[in-house]
Amino acid sequence: MEPPYPEPQFLPRLPSVTAREGSTAVLPCAVLYLGTKQVTWRRLDENHFLSIGDLTWIKDPNLEVQFHEQTPEVTEWNLVIKKVTSQHSGTYECQISDKVKLTRHVHLQVT
């Protein structure tokens, strides 16, 4: 029997991103030891998920999750917003589904 996975944790990334209106914003989220857990993104002021795993949960062609496996232990789950507008400004939450809620906030400012 394999030993249990170590507890997942977020790797340090920029807590805020600034993007020009009309450009593409990349909100970073990197996880160490994700194991069998899922990563979700949501906006703090909304009650629904934007993405679950690498699937976009809302119908918005300008929204996607960029998944990248850096090493077997380190994965990136960056939220990409194309053609950003001032409506996209706000705080977003990258969350690891686990018994204990693990979250990382990234603030997006559109200029």
Side-chain angles (χ1 to χ4, degrees), residues 2-107:
E2 277 193 42
Y5 284 107
E7 286 299 308
Q9 55 186 310
F10 290 104
L11 295 174
R13 293 293 183 262
L14 290 174
S16 64
V17 172
T18 302
R20 281 186 188 217
E21 191 151 351
S23 69
T24 298
V26 179
L27 282 58
C29 183
V31 179
L32 178 65
Y33 305 128
L34 184 62
T36 57
K37 315 270 186 307
Q38 287 282 332
V39 172
T40 60
W41 275 100
R42 73 179 188 95
R43 233 180 114 125
L44 273 190
D45 58 356
E46 296 177 355
N47 287 329
H48 61 272
F49 290 114
L50 299 172
S51 70
I52 298 175
D54 59 357
L55 298 174
T56 304
W57 210 245
I58 61 168
K59 291 190 186 319
D60 184 344
N62 294 324
L63 196 73
E64 68 180 46
V65 174
Q66 236 175 29
F67 169 75
H68 176 70
E69 189 175 326
Q70 289 185 330
T71 70
E73 294 85 26
V74 177
T75 51
E76 288 187 351
W77 303 86
N78 300 333
L79 184 66
V80 178
I81 306 171
K82 300 174 194 160
K83 300 178 187 166
V84 292
T85 66
S86 57
Q87 273 87 350
H88 290 114
S89 290
T91 302
Y92 293 78
E93 180 179 81
C94 180
Q95 180 180 329
I96 298 171
S97 64
D98 201 356
K99 294 180 290 292
V100 177
K101 188 173 165 183
L102 299 169
T103 60
R104 162 71 45 91
H105 293 158
V106 181
H107 184 74

